Every structure is written in C-alpha cells, then in structure tokens.
Amino acid sequence: MEIALPEGYNSLELDKYEGNLINALKASATQPIPDPDDWLDEELKRNIMLTSVDALLNWGRLYSVWPVNFGLACCAFEMIALAVSRFDISRFGMELFRASPRQADLMIVAGTLTWKMAPQVVRIYEQMPEPKWVLAMGVCAISGGTFSESYAVVPGVNRILPVDVYVPGCPPRPEALIHGIQKIHNKIRKDSISRRHWRELARASHDR
Amino acid sequence: MTVELSAADIAAKLSQRFPGAVLESGGATVLVESHRLLEVARFLKETPGLDFDYVTSITAVDYCHYFEVIYHLISIQHNHTLVLKTRCHTRHNPTVPSVVALWQGAELQEREIYDLMGIAFSGHPNLKRILTWEGFPGHPLRRDYL
C-alpha cells in the first residue's frame, strides 16, 4: 500500500499519487475482510485471575465508547439525530463525538463510501488507538447498497475495514443504531486482555 | 421575471456577424460550429444589449453519433437567458474550445465534463480529472462505458 511521494511534487503529480493510492487500495480490496469472530468461543480460554480485571476494563470501555465525528452521506443525519436530545446517546456515555480519531473508540461508517474517499477513511481508522470498533451503518456501508455495481463506490466497507456490527436500513432509524450499539456493548463485555487482540488476527488473515 | 430571448433573433444577429457559424436555432437554443464557439461566446458576452455575463451551467450529452456541449447563459444585468449548444463528431479525443477566459465559473464544470465524458477543452488552464481519480480507466458517463 505504501507509495513513495515524489520530492518537490506539483499538483498533477499529487493527483497521480492519489490515483495510484486509490488503485492500489482497490486492487488489494477484492475480498471482504472476515468479521472478527474469535470472541465467540472465548469463555474456555479465560483466565480466572483476569476476570475481575477484565470486568473492570470492559465496564469502563462499555460506558464510554466515544464515536469519531464523521459522516459520509444521508445516514449521517440519523446518526446526528441519535446524538441529540430525542434519542440521546449520552445515556450510554457516548455523547462525545470526537473530532479527532485519536480520541475515539468507535467508527460509525454512516453512508455511501466512494473509492475516492476510501483512503481517507482508512487513514482515520488507522489513526484511532486500540481497542477500536467499527459499525457499518446502512446498506451502502454494508454492501454498497443500490450503488454496489458502481464504478465509484466501495461495495461494502468490509473490503477495507474489519466490521464489528452491521446495521441495515436505508437509512436505519436511530433506534436501529441504538440496537447496533448495544450489540457492540455486548461484544465489549466479552472482551479480555488475556489474548492477542482479535483485530490483529483479522488483519493477519486478510493479508494472507 | 427572467426572459428567454428568441433564438431566431440571436441567430440572425450571429449569422450577420459570423457567417456560417450558426447551424440551427429554435426555441431558446442556438447551435453553433464548435471551432467558432469562442468568438460567438465573446460576442454574446460583450455586445451591449446582450451582456451574457454569467454561465449558470455547462453540461454535455452523449448522443452516440456525436457529443453535444450545452451552455446555459444568463445576463444578470438584463435578466434574460439563452441556451448555446455545440457538437463534436469524433469519439476519439473530442475537443471544444474552453470558455474559462470569458466565464471563470466554467472551470470546474469543464473539468467535470472532461472527467466524466472525455471531452477536452482546449485552452483550459487546469484540465484534469475532478470527480474520479487520476488513473481511472475511461470516462464513466459515456454511452459505451462498461
């Protein structure tokens, strides 16, 4: 994926650099990244000594999932509705939509992702510190939706990011998004510090 | 209210000034030869009484046998409009003169047409792709794309 930026570049060279980046990303994203699922059989592997540490950490993470503040398309407005008083995600300790990915735990991919935008989304994701979760919101983020055959649209964000929860709808209502967020909460509850982080496993299997 | 100027009147004026440049006219539309587009456009912009000082939109249509580029002109001063059209008959590297020198707002729209339809605008100051990325194969709004 790394492509050298030419020294003393001009505007067209910068465009070519961007184009090469998108083409490389598109060529490397022919298959979806498998959804992280190794937490499913985690019960047996748990270390009893770590259980209370896990419980404390997970409790802390669970009630302070800060989403990164970005929206791609119309789904973003349902996400905004979720943030304000009628649906009010501050009930879950999530009202802090962070303007910096470095302070965020959850990426809500809200809307249609185009290939032109894809490198920036990957960059935002990579800037988020571990542990982090990804929620694909709406059919466009899940599979490209009605644009899945388009030359310009990524057919599902799981081509470029490992997705934890999919929330279908066009757009999903805020209640559906709350449901998806509760699924993420359930996932966090089952997390443990005793193992390598599952996301590395997902990445490794994807790169292979 | 905005007045649509009679294309026949404009075409008569244009034919007098530029013989042979006008190919067709009807309704509010004047079709001109592509290689004379720039001088016709300058005339429309700079003639007192016409003063088309603003281009609201530029678009292009692929009719398979030819491309048509359409300019929606408006005079803010007189509040009247005109539709100017031109055609290019080659599919390989079609070219139309750029009107950026006359109307600055044409720059991004001509880039969009270049990107999606593959029509080059000669004299454009910065003609490169705008919606798709550099290295994108083909021009997606052409009928024969896919």
Side-chain angles (χ1 to χ4, degrees):
Chain A
M1 263 290 291
E2 281 301 311
I3 292 164
L5 189 62
E7 290 286 326
Y9 52 87
N10 62 29
S11 157
L12 185 64
E13 281 166 346
L14 198 63
D15 275 14
K16 282 182 178 157
Y17 166 76
E18 187 202 15
N20 289 339
L21 204 69
I22 293 170
N23 282 335
L25 182 65
K26 201 172 172 184
S28 71
T30 52
Q31 290 299 317
I33 298 170
D35 301 338
D37 59 358
D38 70 309
W39 55 279
L40 290 172
D41 57 352
E42 201 48 41
E43 293 295 328
L44 289 174
K45 295 184 197 160
R46 282 201 177 203
N47 185 323
I48 291 170
M49 275 179 64
L50 287 172
T51 304
S52 56
V53 179
D54 279 346
L56 181 67
L57 268 179
N58 291 345
W59 173 82
R61 283 173 182 163
L62 175 57
Y63 292 111
S64 60
V65 180
W66 291 357
V68 58
N69 186 359
F70 91 108
L72 295 169
C74 23
C75 278
F77 291 92
E78 299 296 310
M79 186 176 73
I80 293 162
L82 177 72
V84 293
S85 53
R86 180 183 283 256
F87 296 99
D88 193 15
I89 53 167
S90 58
R91 293 178 293 161
F92 306 104
M94 293 179 67
E95 74 277 25
L96 290 160
F97 272 84
R98 301 316 288 179
S100 164
R102 297 183 200 284
Q103 300 169 351
D105 312 298
L106 171 65
M107 175 181 246
I108 301 177
V109 185
T112 319
L113 179 61
T114 58
W115 282 113
K116 184 112 173 173
M117 187 68 183
Q120 284 79 337
V121 171
V122 173
R123 172 173 290 189
I124 292 172
Y125 174 79
E126 285 171 353
Q127 284 175 339
M128 288 164 62
E130 295 277 359
K132 53 192 169 183
W133 294 271
V134 178
L135 189 151
M137 178 180 179
V139 286
C140 293
I142 293 172
S143 67
T146 186
F147 312 113
S148 61
E149 303 276 302
S150 167
Y151 55 86
V153 173
V154 180
V157 294
N158 60 4
R159 296 288 177 106
I160 58 167
L161 304 174
V163 177
D164 294 287
V165 171
Y166 299 84
V167 178
C170 186
R173 281 194 53 88
E175 294 94 323
L177 200 50
I178 290 173
H179 185 71
I181 285 166
Q182 286 175 330
K183 294 286 179 197
I184 285 187
H185 287 173
N186 289 346
K187 205 163 183 173
I188 297 172
R189 256 188 213 106
K190 294 186 177 182
D191 215 344
S192 170
I193 60 168
S194 67
R195 60 190 160 86
R196 270 180 72 199
H197 208 270
W198 42 260
R199 202 169 296 278
E200 289 168 24
L201 299 174
R203 268 284 173 204
S205 66
H206 180 64
D207 292 342
R208 191 175 64 238
Chain B
M1 191 168 142
T2 308
V3 181
E4 279 187 359
L5 289 190
S6 158
D9 294 350
I10 304 276
K13 275 187 193 171
L14 289 175
S15 301
Q16 198 183 359
R17 179 72 192 270
F18 309 105
V22 177
L23 299 174
E24 272 175 46
S25 67
T29 303
V30 178
L31 177 69
V32 299
E33 286 270 17
S34 66
H35 64 274
R36 310 195 67 175
L37 177 80
L38 200 55
E39 48 184 345
V40 169
R42 178 164 282 123
F43 177 79
L44 290 173
K45 186 189 174 189
E46 292 173 357
T47 305
L50 295 176
D51 295 304
F52 286 100
D53 46 16
Y54 185 59
V55 55
T56 47
S57 92
I58 304 177
T59 185
V61 185
D62 183 358
Y63 285 107
C64 296
H65 300 299
Y66 57 88
F67 292 104
E68 196 162 80
V69 184
I70 300 149
Y71 302 79
H72 293 261
L73 306 179
I74 194 164
S75 167
I76 292 173
Q77 193 182 336
H78 303 296
N79 202 7
H80 58 216
T81 66
L82 181 75
V83 181
L84 186 66
K85 291 184 178 181
T86 189
R87 287 177 185 168
C88 28
H89 291 267
T90 54
R91 291 198 78 75
H92 179 67
N93 208 5
T95 307
V96 169
S98 167
V99 295
V100 174
L102 295 173
W103 297 293
Q104 187 71 51
E107 184 183 336
L108 292 184
Q109 301 192 44
E110 287 183 351
R111 275 180 68 184
E112 183 179 347
I113 294 168
Y114 167 71
D115 186 1
L116 300 179
M117 205 64 103
I119 299 171
F121 289 87
S122 55
H124 190 286
N126 187 25
L127 195 65
K128 56 183 190 175
R129 287 184 180 274
I130 182 167
L131 293 176
T132 63
W133 53 94
E134 201 57 45
F136 184 88
H139 302 283
L141 286 195
R142 282 194 178 189
R143 290 286 178 102
D144 53 7
Y145 183 80
L146 287 179

